[in-house]
Amino acid sequence: MNSEYIFMWVGFLLASYSIVANDAMQTLGTFLSSNSQRPWWVLWLFVCSVLLVVFFYGWITNDGDIAYGRLAEFPFPENFSWIYIVPPFVLLLLTNWGIPVSTTFLILTVFAPSNLTNMLTKSLFGYGLAFVTAILIYKFITKALEEKFLSTADQKPPIQWVILQWSSTAFLWSQWLIQDLANIFAYLPRNLDASMLFFSMFVMLLLYAIIFYRNGGAIQHIVTSKTNTQDIRSATIVDFIYGLILLLFKEWSKMPMSTTWVFIGLLAGREIAIAHNSQNREMKDVGKIIFSDALKAFAGLAVSIVIAFGLPFLEKMISN
């Protein structure tokens, strides 16, 4: 077994765990927090059933391409060296510190640095659209609903809300997978054979079991620090809006984008609207939370740029 093959699989394993722990929990965070009273394995079975459907559908309809064509501008490296396993290792460290890093920037930029501008432009537009959409929806459309949710937070929600929330989670989860599986499968050949498919599926199922058993890990604080996200009714609305925005960008182009930035923008706009409507928080406190999340996201971008452009230079220095 040559070193390139080893680096490929080590990179895939590191990317799988770090991306699951970081990005996936931002997608499934509201689902976990609002269903914390249920056994973790029940939530795991539900989420993984959607995962398997997306896996098989993508593999069958795209001639073995699990990434749904989103790696077309990111060719598989001719020389798979050690520099490709550094980004997921850094991501793993940042995730354990609870920093919501964009895995798209951190992972994919090292494969094709020239695509950074296009990914950044699409992600900034995603943040802005999610931010404005959330303000408008929570300020003018769901104002009465959110006020009702806050006043009845101690009551058990009707069964129809449980059905709606699990349905919106399945919808959001499928859209996130189609967007972000590219970040993981950048480490494997662009068209997988059956053995690689089943091995990667086994790895993902195992990693999700670990994350769900840990109840989301450190990154879950990004969700639980926001107003009433533990309420299954509020979580349903958040997931549905988030899923629709990801669907829009999925249809727009196949260029990968930061779903992390979309999520942070959505929660930021939501917090501003709810605080303005209900006066449950001081606006300066809301501003601190939003600024903190945005600062972490931009810090992650800075790290991504340094790694993407610095690693090839460092490798060249070492080889010389």
Side-chain angles (χ1 to χ4, degrees):
M1 184 180 296
N2 59 43
S3 60
E4 290 189 29
Y5 195 76
I6 294 174
F7 285 137
M8 180 187 78
W9 282 109
V10 170
F12 172 75
L13 293 174
L14 283 174
S16 296
Y17 182 79
S18 56
I19 291 171
V20 165
N22 190 291
D23 268 17
M25 284 309 102
Q26 295 168 41
T27 304
L28 298 172
T30 52
F31 179 67
L32 277 180
S33 62
S34 60
N35 287 279
S36 58
Q37 78 283 3
R38 305 181 192 279
W40 69 268
W41 56 268
V42 172
L43 308 181
W44 174 77
L45 285 174
F46 172 72
V47 165
C48 287
S49 64
V50 178
L51 173 70
L52 293 177
V53 171
V54 173
F55 260 48
F56 277 115
Y57 183 79
W59 188 69
I60 294 171
T61 59
N62 295 287
D63 193 26
D65 180 14
I66 300 295
Y68 285 79
R70 281 171 166 71
L71 291 174
E73 302 296 326
F74 299 83
F76 190 71
E78 295 181 3
N79 177 26
F80 217 111
S81 65
W82 60 270
I83 67 172
Y84 294 99
I85 68 174
V86 174
F89 181 74
V90 172
L91 176 61
L92 188 60
L93 295 178
L94 296 176
T95 299
N96 286 333
W97 295 334
I99 299 177
V101 184
S102 169
T103 59
T104 300
F105 295 141
L106 190 56
I107 299 295
L108 293 185
T109 304
V110 75
F111 285 89
S114 60
N115 288 327
L116 177 61
T117 301
N118 290 333
M119 291 191 294
L120 181 58
T121 300
K122 189 175 180 181
S123 301
L124 284 171
F125 185 60
Y127 180 95
L129 179 64
F131 181 78
V132 173
T133 300
I135 289 179
L136 294 176
I137 289 177
Y138 284 95
K139 175 63 180 174
F140 300 107
I141 300 177
T142 65
K143 177 182 177 181
L145 275 177
E146 287 295 334
E147 290 176 351
K148 181 180 179 181
F149 297 161
L150 286 168
S151 63
T152 61
D154 57 336
Q155 300 178 14
K156 185 176 181 180
I159 187 63
Q160 57 263 34
W161 275 107
V162 177
I163 297 173
L164 284 172
Q165 203 246 353
W166 285 55
S167 300
S168 67
T169 296
F171 167 63
L172 167 60
W173 182 226
S174 65
Q175 298 307 307
W176 180 90
L177 286 169
I178 293 173
Q179 287 275 2
D180 274 30
L181 281 178
N183 302 344
I184 297 175
F185 286 92
Y187 286 89
L188 297 182
R190 300 302 176 251
N191 300 95
L192 302 182
D193 58 25
S195 61
M196 282 190 169
L197 171 70
F198 285 104
F199 178 74
S200 60
M201 284 170 47
F202 171 77
V203 169
M204 297 287 285
L205 294 176
L206 178 61
L207 292 177
Y208 277 108
I210 296 172
I211 297 298
F212 272 64
Y213 180 75
R214 295 177 57 202
N215 196 32
I219 206 73
Q220 181 70 354
H221 176 68
I222 296 295
V223 176
T224 55
S225 64
K226 304 304 185 293
T227 302
N228 209 33
T229 52
Q230 291 83 5
D231 191 303
I232 199 169
R233 300 164 296 181
S234 287
T236 300
I237 297 175
V238 170
D239 288 352
F240 186 67
I241 297 172
Y242 188 18
L244 284 177
I245 294 174
L246 291 186
L247 175 61
L248 172 65
F249 282 100
K250 176 177 73 71
E251 297 300 322
W252 179 23
S253 76
K254 291 186 180 297
M255 177 60 64
M257 66 179 296
S258 172
T259 55
T260 298
W261 285 28
V262 174
F263 184 66
I264 291 176
L266 174 61
L267 291 185
R270 177 180 181 271
E271 283 300 296
I272 290 176
I274 291 178
H276 188 268
N277 285 338
S278 62
Q279 303 295 317
N280 65 322
R281 282 185 178 181
E282 294 286 340
M283 290 302 296
K284 63 178 182 179
D285 294 331
V286 174
K288 289 178 181 178
I289 295 175
I290 294 173
F291 179 76
S292 175
D293 289 348
L295 184 62
K296 291 175 182 178
F298 277 98
L301 174 61
V303 171
S304 304
I305 294 173
V306 170
I307 288 177
F309 292 95
L311 282 177
F313 179 74
L314 179 60
E315 183 186 33
K316 187 176 180 179
M317 287 183 58
I318 294 175
S319 63
N320 288 336

